[in-house]
Amino acid sequence: MSPRSASVNEELRRRSRERLLQAAVELVGERGYEATTLGDIADRAGSARGLVSYYFPGKRQLVQSAVHRLMHRTLEEALEREPRTTDGRERLARAIDAILGLGRDRPVLMRQHMAGLLQAEGFVQCPEQQRLAELLRGVVAGHGSQDVDADYPMLRSVLMGAVYAMVLPNVPMSITPLRAELFKRYRLDWEMGVPPETGAASGATRPADLSRFFATGDPTGRD
């Protein structure tokens, strides 16, 4: 049997890393952060436990990277869904709905993510976070910003604040008034994006299966 090429080995490593990311969001969403161990994540991903530390310095960094991947791909999917559009206002509405939708549909995961940002390690500047930032910056620019460097952090901050309000234990706010406030701030029409009542009526909530957001197939063609 001939040895695998360097490109196949690289793809195997990439997919192994993404299986860990997928396992992390699944388990933290099911059990919470404290009840999920690195060993649990490795077992769910079908990876050797020592492999986790090869890709990530620790659990907090792994979980932040995993949630940033989910946020990035959720946002990307919302922006690219049919009918495709280049309208800056509609794309901003879709972006807001995508992020608020994660707070509504995955409250445990997003609560743990928000809590993690306040820990000593702070905000992880990982590749997943950078892709999410690039996509959001593009939305801000497409909306007509004259100063993306100032307007992007503001959008990120108000979205984080809204998600925090949605996942706050015991006194969570519903998505409707938060969406209304954000749409008012950015002068968006309520009918843009996916209004909460439209999403609920059509069953347009996030499905439990997250595999479409993570490349976990077998690159050798045996899957």
Short mmCIF file of all heavy atoms in Angstrom, two decimals, residues 94-144:
data_model
loop_
_atom_site.label_atom_id
_atom_site.label_comp_id
_atom_site.label_asym_id
_atom_site.label_seq_id
_atom_site.Cartn_x
_atom_site.Cartn_y
_atom_site.Cartn_z
N ARG A 94 -30.38 39.83 7.50
CA ARG A 94 -30.11 38.39 7.58
C ARG A 94 -29.02 38.09 8.61
O ARG A 94 -29.10 37.09 9.33
CB ARG A 94 -29.69 37.87 6.21
CG ARG A 94 -30.79 37.87 5.16
CD ARG A 94 -30.31 37.21 3.88
NE ARG A 94 -31.30 37.28 2.80
CZ ARG A 94 -31.22 36.64 1.65
NH1 ARG A 94 -30.16 35.88 1.40
NH2 ARG A 94 -32.16 36.76 0.73
N ALA A 95 -28.00 38.96 8.66
CA ALA A 95 -26.92 38.75 9.61
C ALA A 95 -27.43 38.86 11.05
O ALA A 95 -27.11 38.03 11.91
CB ALA A 95 -25.81 39.76 9.37
N ILE A 96 -28.22 39.87 11.32
CA ILE A 96 -28.79 40.04 12.66
C ILE A 96 -29.65 38.84 13.03
O ILE A 96 -29.54 38.28 14.12
CB ILE A 96 -29.61 41.35 12.73
CG1 ILE A 96 -28.66 42.56 12.64
CG2 ILE A 96 -30.44 41.40 14.02
CD1 ILE A 96 -29.39 43.89 12.50
N ASP A 97 -30.49 38.41 12.11
CA ASP A 97 -31.37 37.27 12.38
C ASP A 97 -30.58 35.98 12.61
O ASP A 97 -30.95 35.15 13.43
CB ASP A 97 -32.36 37.08 11.23
CG ASP A 97 -33.48 38.10 11.25
OD1 ASP A 97 -33.74 38.68 12.32
OD2 ASP A 97 -34.11 38.32 10.20
N ALA A 98 -29.48 35.82 11.87
CA ALA A 98 -28.67 34.60 12.03
C ALA A 98 -28.07 34.52 13.43
O ALA A 98 -28.11 33.47 14.09
CB ALA A 98 -27.58 34.56 10.97
N ILE A 99 -27.50 35.63 13.90
CA ILE A 99 -26.86 35.62 15.22
C ILE A 99 -27.89 35.54 16.34
O ILE A 99 -27.73 34.77 17.30
CB ILE A 99 -25.96 36.86 15.39
CG1 ILE A 99 -24.90 36.90 14.29
CG2 ILE A 99 -25.32 36.85 16.77
CD1 ILE A 99 -24.01 35.67 14.21
N LEU A 100 -28.98 36.30 16.22
CA LEU A 100 -30.03 36.21 17.24
C LEU A 100 -30.64 34.81 17.24
O LEU A 100 -31.03 34.30 18.30
CB LEU A 100 -31.11 37.26 16.99
CG LEU A 100 -30.72 38.72 17.15
CD1 LEU A 100 -31.96 39.61 17.02
CD2 LEU A 100 -30.02 38.98 18.47
N GLY A 101 -30.74 34.20 16.07
CA GLY A 101 -31.29 32.86 15.99
C GLY A 101 -30.48 31.84 16.77
O GLY A 101 -31.03 30.90 17.36
N LEU A 102 -29.16 32.03 16.81
CA LEU A 102 -28.34 31.12 17.60
C LEU A 102 -28.64 31.28 19.09
O LEU A 102 -28.67 30.30 19.84
CB LEU A 102 -26.85 31.39 17.33
CG LEU A 102 -26.32 30.88 16.00
CD1 LEU A 102 -24.90 31.40 15.76
CD2 LEU A 102 -26.34 29.35 15.96
N GLY A 103 -28.85 32.52 19.53
CA GLY A 103 -29.21 32.73 20.93
C GLY A 103 -30.54 32.10 21.27
O GLY A 103 -30.72 31.55 22.37
N ARG A 104 -31.48 32.15 20.35
CA ARG A 104 -32.79 31.56 20.58
C ARG A 104 -32.76 30.04 20.54
O ARG A 104 -33.34 29.37 21.41
CB ARG A 104 -33.77 32.06 19.50
CG ARG A 104 -35.17 31.44 19.55
CD ARG A 104 -35.92 31.74 18.26
NE ARG A 104 -35.21 31.17 17.11
CZ ARG A 104 -35.39 31.61 15.86
NH1 ARG A 104 -36.20 32.61 15.60
NH2 ARG A 104 -34.71 31.03 14.87
N ASP A 105 -32.05 29.47 19.57
CA ASP A 105 -32.12 28.04 19.32
C ASP A 105 -31.06 27.23 20.06
O ASP A 105 -31.23 26.03 20.26
CB ASP A 105 -31.99 27.76 17.81
CG ASP A 105 -33.10 28.43 17.02
OD1 ASP A 105 -34.22 28.58 17.57
OD2 ASP A 105 -32.86 28.80 15.86
N ARG A 106 -29.97 27.88 20.47
CA ARG A 106 -28.89 27.17 21.17
C ARG A 106 -28.47 27.95 22.42
O ARG A 106 -27.31 28.37 22.56
CB ARG A 106 -27.70 26.95 20.23
CG ARG A 106 -28.11 26.25 18.93
CD ARG A 106 -26.93 25.77 18.11
NE ARG A 106 -27.36 25.31 16.82
CZ ARG A 106 -27.89 24.10 16.58
NH1 ARG A 106 -28.03 23.25 17.58
NH2 ARG A 106 -28.27 23.75 15.36
N PRO A 107 -29.43 28.15 23.33
CA PRO A 107 -29.14 29.02 24.49
C PRO A 107 -28.05 28.50 25.40
O PRO A 107 -27.26 29.29 25.91
CB PRO A 107 -30.50 29.10 25.21
CG PRO A 107 -31.25 27.88 24.77
CD PRO A 107 -30.82 27.64 23.36
N VAL A 108 -27.98 27.19 25.63
CA VAL A 108 -26.94 26.67 26.52
C VAL A 108 -25.56 26.92 25.92
O VAL A 108 -24.64 27.43 26.59
CB VAL A 108 -27.15 25.16 26.79
CG1 VAL A 108 -25.98 24.60 27.59
CG2 VAL A 108 -28.46 24.93 27.53
N LEU A 109 -25.41 26.60 24.66
CA LEU A 109 -24.12 26.79 23.99
C LEU A 109 -23.72 28.26 23.99
O LEU A 109 -22.57 28.60 24.32
CB LEU A 109 -24.21 26.26 22.56
CG LEU A 109 -22.94 26.41 21.71
CD1 LEU A 109 -21.82 25.56 22.28
CD2 LEU A 109 -23.23 26.04 20.26
N MET A 110 -24.63 29.14 23.62
CA MET A 110 -24.29 30.55 23.54
C MET A 110 -24.07 31.16 24.92
O MET A 110 -23.24 32.06 25.08
CB MET A 110 -25.38 31.30 22.77
CG MET A 110 -25.52 30.86 21.31
SD MET A 110 -23.96 30.90 20.36
CE MET A 110 -23.66 32.67 20.29
N ARG A 111 -24.77 30.68 25.93
CA ARG A 111 -24.54 31.15 27.29
C ARG A 111 -23.13 30.80 27.74
O ARG A 111 -22.42 31.61 28.33
CB ARG A 111 -25.57 30.55 28.24
CG ARG A 111 -25.45 31.07 29.68
CD ARG A 111 -26.46 30.37 30.57
NE ARG A 111 -27.81 30.52 30.05
CZ ARG A 111 -28.66 29.50 29.85
NH1 ARG A 111 -28.28 28.25 30.14
NH2 ARG A 111 -29.86 29.72 29.37
N GLN A 112 -22.73 29.56 27.46
CA GLN A 112 -21.39 29.14 27.83
C GLN A 112 -20.33 29.92 27.06
O GLN A 112 -19.26 30.25 27.59
CB GLN A 112 -21.22 27.64 27.58
CG GLN A 112 -22.19 26.76 28.35
CD GLN A 112 -22.03 26.91 29.85
OE1 GLN A 112 -20.93 26.93 30.37
NE2 GLN A 112 -23.14 27.01 30.56
N HIS A 113 -20.62 30.23 25.81
CA HIS A 113 -19.69 31.01 25.00
C HIS A 113 -19.53 32.42 25.57
O HIS A 113 -18.40 32.91 25.73
CB HIS A 113 -20.19 31.08 23.56
CG HIS A 113 -19.33 31.92 22.66
ND1 HIS A 113 -18.01 31.63 22.40
CD2 HIS A 113 -19.61 33.07 21.96
CE1 HIS A 113 -17.51 32.54 21.57
NE2 HIS A 113 -18.45 33.42 21.31
N MET A 114 -20.64 33.07 25.90
CA MET A 114 -20.57 34.41 26.45
C MET A 114 -19.82 34.42 27.77
O MET A 114 -19.02 35.31 28.04
CB MET A 114 -21.98 34.98 26.63
CG MET A 114 -22.79 35.10 25.34
SD MET A 114 -22.05 36.21 24.12
CE MET A 114 -22.26 37.78 24.94
N ALA A 115 -20.06 33.42 28.59
CA ALA A 115 -19.35 33.33 29.87
C ALA A 115 -17.86 33.15 29.65
O ALA A 115 -17.03 33.72 30.37
CB ALA A 115 -19.91 32.18 30.71
N GLY A 116 -17.51 32.36 28.64
CA GLY A 116 -16.10 32.11 28.36
C GLY A 116 -15.35 33.36 27.95
O GLY A 116 -14.16 33.51 28.25
N LEU A 117 -16.03 34.29 27.28
CA LEU A 117 -15.38 35.52 26.85
C LEU A 117 -14.96 36.38 28.03
O LEU A 117 -14.09 37.25 27.90
CB LEU A 117 -16.33 36.32 25.94
CG LEU A 117 -16.72 35.65 24.62
CD1 LEU A 117 -17.69 36.54 23.86
CD2 LEU A 117 -15.51 35.33 23.77
N LEU A 118 -15.60 36.16 29.18
CA LEU A 118 -15.30 36.96 30.38
C LEU A 118 -14.23 36.33 31.25
O LEU A 118 -13.87 36.90 32.29
CB LEU A 118 -16.58 37.16 31.19
CG LEU A 118 -17.73 37.87 30.46
CD1 LEU A 118 -18.97 37.93 31.35
CD2 LEU A 118 -17.32 39.27 30.03
N GLN A 119 -13.73 35.17 30.85
CA GLN A 119 -12.70 34.50 31.63
C GLN A 119 -11.34 35.13 31.36
O GLN A 119 -11.19 35.98 30.48
CB GLN A 119 -12.67 33.00 31.29
CG GLN A 119 -13.97 32.28 31.57
CD GLN A 119 -14.39 32.38 33.02
OE1 GLN A 119 -13.62 32.09 33.92
NE2 GLN A 119 -15.63 32.76 33.25
N ALA A 120 -10.36 34.70 32.14
CA ALA A 120 -9.02 35.30 32.05
C ALA A 120 -8.43 35.19 30.66
O ALA A 120 -7.68 36.08 30.21
CB ALA A 120 -8.10 34.64 33.07
N GLU A 121 -8.74 34.09 29.95
CA GLU A 121 -8.16 33.91 28.62
C GLU A 121 -8.70 34.94 27.62
O GLU A 121 -8.07 35.23 26.61
CB GLU A 121 -8.45 32.50 28.09
CG GLU A 121 -7.85 31.40 28.93
CD GLU A 121 -8.82 30.89 29.99
OE1 GLU A 121 -9.71 31.66 30.40
OE2 GLU A 121 -8.66 29.74 30.40
N GLY A 122 -9.90 35.44 27.91
CA GLY A 122 -10.49 36.47 27.06
C GLY A 122 -10.89 35.97 25.69
O GLY A 122 -11.26 34.82 25.50
N PHE A 123 -10.78 36.85 24.72
CA PHE A 123 -11.25 36.63 23.36
C PHE A 123 -10.17 35.91 22.56
O PHE A 123 -9.05 36.39 22.44
CB PHE A 123 -11.57 37.98 22.73
CG PHE A 123 -12.50 37.91 21.56
CD1 PHE A 123 -13.82 37.59 21.72
CD2 PHE A 123 -12.03 38.20 20.28
CE1 PHE A 123 -14.68 37.56 20.63
CE2 PHE A 123 -12.88 38.15 19.19
CZ PHE A 123 -14.21 37.84 19.37
N VAL A 124 -10.49 34.74 22.02
CA VAL A 124 -9.52 33.94 21.28
C VAL A 124 -9.48 34.38 19.82
O VAL A 124 -10.49 34.35 19.13
CB VAL A 124 -9.88 32.44 21.36
CG1 VAL A 124 -8.95 31.62 20.48
CG2 VAL A 124 -9.81 31.97 22.80
N GLN A 125 -8.31 34.82 19.37
CA GLN A 125 -8.14 35.23 17.98
C GLN A 125 -7.75 34.01 17.14
O GLN A 125 -6.61 33.83 16.76
CB GLN A 125 -7.05 36.31 17.90
CG GLN A 125 -7.38 37.58 18.63
CD GLN A 125 -8.46 38.40 17.94
OE1 GLN A 125 -8.66 38.27 16.73
NE2 GLN A 125 -9.14 39.23 18.69
N CYS A 126 -8.73 33.16 16.87
CA CYS A 126 -8.51 31.93 16.13
C CYS A 126 -8.92 32.11 14.67
O CYS A 126 -9.57 33.10 14.32
CB CYS A 126 -9.32 30.80 16.77
SG CYS A 126 -11.11 31.13 16.82
N PRO A 127 -8.54 31.19 13.79
CA PRO A 127 -8.95 31.32 12.38
C PRO A 127 -10.46 31.41 12.21
O PRO A 127 -10.95 32.15 11.34
CB PRO A 127 -8.39 30.04 11.74
CG PRO A 127 -7.23 29.66 12.60
CD PRO A 127 -7.63 30.04 14.00
N GLU A 128 -11.21 30.69 13.04
CA GLU A 128 -12.68 30.72 12.93
C GLU A 128 -13.22 32.11 13.26
O GLU A 128 -14.12 32.62 12.59
CB GLU A 128 -13.30 29.67 13.85
CG GLU A 128 -13.14 28.23 13.37
CD GLU A 128 -11.73 27.69 13.52
OE1 GLU A 128 -10.98 28.21 14.38
OE2 GLU A 128 -11.37 26.75 12.78
N GLN A 129 -12.66 32.72 14.29
CA GLN A 129 -13.09 34.06 14.68
C GLN A 129 -12.74 35.07 13.58
O GLN A 129 -13.51 35.98 13.28
CB GLN A 129 -12.45 34.47 16.01
CG GLN A 129 -12.95 35.81 16.56
CD GLN A 129 -12.22 37.00 15.98
OE1 GLN A 129 -11.04 36.91 15.66
NE2 GLN A 129 -12.92 38.10 15.83
N GLN A 130 -11.59 34.90 12.97
CA GLN A 130 -11.15 35.82 11.92
C GLN A 130 -12.07 35.72 10.70
O GLN A 130 -12.38 36.73 10.06
CB GLN A 130 -9.71 35.54 11.55
CG GLN A 130 -8.73 35.90 12.67
CD GLN A 130 -7.34 35.34 12.47
OE1 GLN A 130 -7.07 34.65 11.49
NE2 GLN A 130 -6.45 35.64 13.40
N ARG A 131 -12.51 34.51 10.37
CA ARG A 131 -13.43 34.36 9.24
C ARG A 131 -14.78 35.00 9.55
O ARG A 131 -15.40 35.63 8.69
CB ARG A 131 -13.61 32.87 8.91
CG ARG A 131 -12.35 32.19 8.38
CD ARG A 131 -12.61 30.76 7.96
NE ARG A 131 -11.38 30.06 7.66
CZ ARG A 131 -10.81 29.16 8.45
NH1 ARG A 131 -11.39 28.84 9.61
NH2 ARG A 131 -9.69 28.57 8.11
N LEU A 132 -15.24 34.81 10.79
CA LEU A 132 -16.50 35.44 11.21
C LEU A 132 -16.38 36.96 11.13
O LEU A 132 -17.28 37.64 10.61
CB LEU A 132 -16.84 35.00 12.63
CG LEU A 132 -18.02 35.70 13.31
CD1 LEU A 132 -19.32 35.42 12.54
CD2 LEU A 132 -18.15 35.25 14.76
N ALA A 133 -15.27 37.50 11.62
CA ALA A 133 -15.06 38.94 11.59
C ALA A 133 -15.03 39.47 10.16
O ALA A 133 -15.62 40.51 9.85
CB ALA A 133 -13.77 39.30 12.32
N GLU A 134 -14.35 38.75 9.27
CA GLU A 134 -14.27 39.18 7.88
C GLU A 134 -15.65 39.22 7.23
O GLU A 134 -15.97 40.16 6.49
CB GLU A 134 -13.36 38.22 7.11
CG GLU A 134 -13.16 38.60 5.65
CD GLU A 134 -12.25 37.65 4.90
OE1 GLU A 134 -11.71 36.71 5.54
OE2 GLU A 134 -12.07 37.83 3.68
N LEU A 135 -16.46 38.23 7.53
CA LEU A 135 -17.80 38.18 6.96
C LEU A 135 -18.66 39.33 7.49
O LEU A 135 -19.37 40.00 6.73
CB LEU A 135 -18.45 36.83 7.29
CG LEU A 135 -19.60 36.36 6.39
CD1 LEU A 135 -19.19 36.36 4.93
CD2 LEU A 135 -20.04 34.96 6.82
N LEU A 136 -18.60 39.57 8.80
CA LEU A 136 -19.38 40.66 9.38
C LEU A 136 -18.89 42.02 8.89
O LEU A 136 -19.69 42.94 8.67
CB LEU A 136 -19.32 40.60 10.90
CG LEU A 136 -20.39 39.77 11.61
CD1 LEU A 136 -20.16 39.77 13.12
CD2 LEU A 136 -21.79 40.27 11.29
N ARG A 137 -17.60 42.15 8.74
CA ARG A 137 -17.07 43.42 8.21
C ARG A 137 -17.59 43.66 6.79
O ARG A 137 -17.89 44.80 6.41
CB ARG A 137 -15.54 43.41 8.23
CG ARG A 137 -14.93 43.56 9.62
CD ARG A 137 -13.41 43.46 9.56
NE ARG A 137 -12.85 44.57 8.83
CZ ARG A 137 -12.49 45.74 9.39
NH1 ARG A 137 -12.62 45.90 10.70
NH2 ARG A 137 -11.99 46.71 8.66
N GLY A 138 -17.69 42.59 6.01
CA GLY A 138 -18.25 42.74 4.68
C GLY A 138 -19.70 43.17 4.70
O GLY A 138 -20.14 43.97 3.86
N VAL A 139 -20.46 42.66 5.65
CA VAL A 139 -21.86 43.07 5.80
C VAL A 139 -21.95 44.55 6.14
O VAL A 139 -22.77 45.30 5.59
CB VAL A 139 -22.56 42.22 6.88
CG1 VAL A 139 -23.93 42.80 7.23
CG2 VAL A 139 -22.71 40.78 6.40
N VAL A 140 -21.09 44.99 7.06
CA VAL A 140 -21.07 46.40 7.46
C VAL A 140 -20.72 47.29 6.27
O VAL A 140 -21.36 48.32 6.03
CB VAL A 140 -20.07 46.61 8.63
CG1 VAL A 140 -19.86 48.10 8.90
CG2 VAL A 140 -20.57 45.91 9.88
N ALA A 141 -19.71 46.89 5.51
CA ALA A 141 -19.32 47.67 4.34
C ALA A 141 -20.45 47.71 3.31
O ALA A 141 -20.75 48.76 2.73
CB ALA A 141 -18.06 47.07 3.71
N GLY A 142 -21.10 46.57 3.09
CA GLY A 142 -22.19 46.50 2.13
C GLY A 142 -23.40 47.32 2.55
O GLY A 142 -24.19 47.75 1.70
N HIS A 143 -23.52 47.55 3.84
CA HIS A 143 -24.63 48.39 4.34
C HIS A 143 -24.36 49.86 4.12
O HIS A 143 -25.24 50.70 4.34
CB HIS A 143 -24.85 48.09 5.83
CG HIS A 143 -26.07 48.73 6.39
ND1 HIS A 143 -26.02 49.71 7.37
CD2 HIS A 143 -27.39 48.54 6.12
CE1 HIS A 143 -27.24 50.09 7.67
NE2 HIS A 143 -28.09 49.40 6.94
N GLY A 144 -23.16 50.20 3.68
CA GLY A 144 -22.85 51.59 3.35
C GLY A 144 -21.98 52.30 4.37
O GLY A 144 -21.89 53.53 4.34
#
